[in-house]
Amino acid sequence: MCGIFGYCNYLVEKSRGEIIDTLVEGLERLEYRGYDSTGIAIDGDEPDSTVIIKQIGKVEALKKEISKYDLDRKVTFVSHVGIAHTRWATHGQPKQANCHPQTSDKNNEFVIVHNGIITNFRELKTLLINKGYKFESETDTECIAKLYKHIYDTNIQNGHDLDFHELTKLVLLELEGSYGLLCRSSHYPNEVIATRKGSPLLIGVKSEKKLKVDFVDVEFPDDDKPETPILQDENKISVSSNKKNPSAFITNDHHTNRDNLLPIAANEFNLRHSQSRAFLSEDGFPAPIEFFLSSDASSVIKHTKKVLFLEDDDIAHIYDGELHIHRSRREVGASMTRSIQTLEMELAQIMKGPYKHFMQKEIYEQPESTLNTMRGRIDFDSNNVLLGGLTAWLPAIRRARRLIMIACGTSYHSCLATRAIFEELSEIPVSIELASDFLDRKSPVFRDDICVFVSQSGETADTMLALNYCLERGALTVGIVNTVGSSLSRATHCGVHINAGPEIGVASTKAYTSQYIALVMFALSLSDDRVSKQKRRGEIIQGLKLIPGQIKAVLNLEPRIKELCDHQLKNQRSLLLLGRGYQFASALEGALKIKEISYMHSEGVLAGELKHGVLALVDENLPIIAFGTRDSLFPKVVSSIEQVTARKGHPIIICNEGDEVWTKKAEGSDLITLEVPQTVDCLQGLLNIIPLQLMSYWLAVNKGIDVDFPRNLAKSVTVE
């Protein structure tokens, strides 16, 4: 959803023009997340002044707005902090007053960019209005900026000159809800605060000299007496405390690992540092350095591959070329450091290349992305599957009473597509849950349940809240995620990265097929100790070997699909998709793609439910797509399609190459078929979904819709 970007240079001389271009380019890399307005904040010409420029619409509109300002682009800054934002409206309509950055007052003493929702903003707004503050916008973010000023002024009046991070701690104590925010202030020139709770935030580091260490120490409040460790807040996700010994779940003794209850040992990590060790220089002189702050790695990768991911409640304070991470209290079992990681992402991966849209590029990347999901994990000669992130946990998972798969949108469909093979191979009952509904129902979760969370971004708000809910109840949690370093990947006990590569298009394509394969590999891993399942496992593994090449073959159907979109499906207002068994998930996912990209109403229907109401919709005008590929339910599917044709319906059949049944039915009739290769029944959905991805793409292109930025939607849904 909203996007945050910030740039801080220290002893690295940059012109104002270069700073503006860096900020604007950072926003352009965040465009795919979905937004309706933009803005930047930079230093003005006067000392300690701030220039805020914002505009509704796309980044191009912001560029035009910037050009209207009489800014000297040649003036240089040795040290500077600039912040920028793409907003997706949650409080107040898209208009200039509601754009970020939001400010505390007309002098711009505190300037904020913010992702997330502050749930108690009305109470805060009432308080601040009573204190004499006047609000210019309808946003919850403006409350944060004015709260900063109110607490700062109050402390100054009482003789307390607070450090920037100390002031931030006091502000955060008053906030409820989710946030990822950056704050710059005229009272703290060339300093920036970055903090998060439930909304992703990372910091890229670029320096000519190698960092002394590849981590940053977490700093805690100074006390005169030794600090008393306090137990983890049960309502908060702690990444470290979730990485327990798998044996604790095998024995059902969740207290086996007693380390979390031990007092903190007196070692070098407990020291409070006035200077961050990672940024110590050999000669004692400050070293030139640049920091890039963002809600998404895609906007940082051009500048540096060295990044640090903030945890919930971290307060990052950047000043004098150093990065300090503060927390308001020490929690037993929580990590004492934040590692500086190297991104594997390449800049070319987030560029369109020869394609017109990211979605088209990502559809055509699927032969490679599905291969990458399997690479190094499947031995096709010995029919073995090895998922390193799960190996130690498999004995505990096999003992589960049930397996609960929790996800949203496309990720939910990948769970639905693989549920049957999980149950067949593991003989463990599997339930599939939409994260929002799971939370609404407060569904019972027990310690011998295994909860599997599937998410492309690893930051989906509903999924993260459901994860927190399950952790509180002692369940073992597994993450299936694409984005390395995401909140979900760090908070679950174990998991699998699907390795699909960055997905920029709002409509998920290659992430779906990679999630599908990752879940099938998970099911195969669970059953590798079952002799009775070895033949079936071998069939599936050999089927997976052929999938990348078969997807490549299906992509050759694009001209035929484009022709269907130009004629049979042109100007249609509604579309019905029929699937049964493994293909019900394909029907739902195809309908979702067509809905979100082409804005055509489409509905995925279980073919067995036709007679229970849906058949009333069928006539000669309603376009219908039916999955008629071969599996154990094929005769029933054929029967359902015959019911449609008997009511003058004209279905488009997705079937296997050379299938005699459909060849005969097509003779002497206007039956349309799209032929795809045949594979193992549980993998057929990987091939059947490709024509629908292409169909949704061309339906949208023919309507002149911006495929990568569908209206009202965002790539990463970080609010409830």
Side-chain angles (χ1 to χ4, degrees), residues 162-179:
L162 293 176
D163 193 73
F164 206 176
H165 78 269
E166 292 172 333
L167 173 62
T168 301
K169 286 179 185 177
L170 295 176
V171 170
L172 298 185
L173 284 173
E174 305 300 327
L175 301 184
E176 296 175 8
S178 63
Y179 52 80

Side-chain angles (χ1 to χ4, degrees), residues 84 99 211 241 261 300 309 361 389 400 406 435 458 506 555 620 680 699:
C99 300
L211 300 177
S241 62
L261 302 180
V300 169
F309 294 94
K361 171 178 179 274
I406 302 168
V506 168
L555 290 169
E620 66 273 19
V680 186
L699 284 171

Side-chain angles (χ1 to χ4, degrees), residues 222-478:
D222 287 315
D223 289 334
D224 294 331
K225 57 184 180 181
E227 195 164 359
T228 304
I230 54 178
L231 295 178
Q232 184 73 37
D233 181 351
E234 65 176 8
N235 292 318
K236 196 169 102 3
I237 297 173
S238 170
V239 175
S240 302
S241 62
N242 293 336
K243 307 300 182 186
K244 297 177 182 175
N245 186 338
S247 63
F249 286 88
I250 296 174
T251 61
N252 282 332
D253 177 11
H254 291 247
H255 300 289
T256 299
N257 182 357
R258 309 295 295 184
D259 293 344
N260 290 347
L261 302 180
L262 293 176
I264 297 171
N267 58 40
E268 60 176 333
F269 294 106
N270 289 339
L271 299 176
R272 282 126 181 163
H273 303 272
S274 58
Q275 189 172 25
S276 184
R277 281 189 288 173
F279 307 99
L280 287 170
S281 57
E282 297 286 351
D283 52 14
F285 288 98
I289 194 166
E290 296 169 87
F291 295 96
F292 303 86
L293 306 96
S294 183
S295 51
D296 195 304
S298 61
S299 61
V300 169
I301 191 65
K302 178 183 178 180
H303 307 285
T304 179
K305 289 190 175 184
K306 296 291 184 184
V307 299
L308 178 148
F309 294 94
L310 295 182
E311 302 288 357
D312 275 357
D313 299 321
D314 281 353
I315 300 171
H317 185 190
I318 296 175
Y319 64 94
D320 295 343
E322 292 186 10
L323 165 60
H324 294 259
I325 295 178
H326 301 270
R327 290 182 75 86
S328 57
R329 63 181 188 177
R330 191 191 304 273
E331 293 158 344
V332 171
S335 174
M336 304 291 291
T337 61
R338 298 288 178 265
S339 61
I340 298 173
Q341 304 176 28
T342 301
L343 288 175
E344 299 299 328
M345 188 190 301
E346 298 293 339
L347 185 61
Q349 291 179 297
I350 58 173
M351 303 297 285
K352 289 179 189 172
Y355 299 96
K356 291 184 178 180
H357 299 95
F358 282 113
M359 183 182 177
Q360 185 184 32
K361 171 178 179 274
E362 286 153 11
I363 290 172
Y364 274 87
E365 282 178 343
Q366 286 175 106
E368 182 183 351
S369 62
T370 51
L371 182 62
N372 287 339
T373 302
M374 296 183 278
R375 194 187 303 277
R377 292 167 165 173
I378 300 182
D379 185 338
F380 294 108
D381 295 327
S382 62
N383 286 341
N384 282 331
V385 177
L386 179 65
L387 298 174
L390 292 179
T391 303
W393 299 85
L394 287 176
I397 296 171
R398 291 188 185 113
R399 290 171 57 90
R401 177 169 68 169
R402 63 172 175 164
L403 209 146
I404 309 172
M405 305 175 87
I406 302 168
C408 304
T410 289
S411 298
Y412 173 81
H413 297 151
S414 68
C415 296
L416 189 63
T418 55
R419 171 170 61 180
I421 196 63
F422 263 98
E423 292 181 328
E424 178 188 341
L425 293 179
S426 70
E427 297 181 0
I428 299 172
V430 179
S431 63
I432 312 291
E433 298 279 359
L434 285 165
S436 56
D437 182 58
F438 177 77
L439 288 165
D440 291 344
R441 293 187 351 256
K442 294 184 170 56
S443 183
V445 175
F446 304 99
R447 289 191 172 187
D448 51 359
D449 289 332
I450 305 298
C451 299
V452 180
F453 296 87
V454 185
S455 171
Q456 189 283 134
S457 67
E459 305 291 349
T460 309
D462 287 326
T463 305
M464 289 303 299
L465 289 169
L467 170 58
N468 193 13
Y469 177 87
C470 294
L471 288 172
E472 289 171 8
R473 282 149 184 80
L476 193 157
T477 59
V478 181

Side-chain angles (χ1 to χ4, degrees), residues 628-660:
T629 47
R630 292 275 177 169
D631 58 22
S632 63
L633 300 175
F634 181 71
K636 294 183 178 180
V637 171
V638 172
S639 175
S640 296
I641 294 173
E642 286 175 341
Q643 292 177 49
V644 169
T645 55
R647 272 87 178 169
K648 301 182 181 180
H650 302 288
I652 298 168
I653 311 295
I654 296 175
C655 61
N656 293 129
E657 293 171 340
D659 192 312
E660 293 181 1

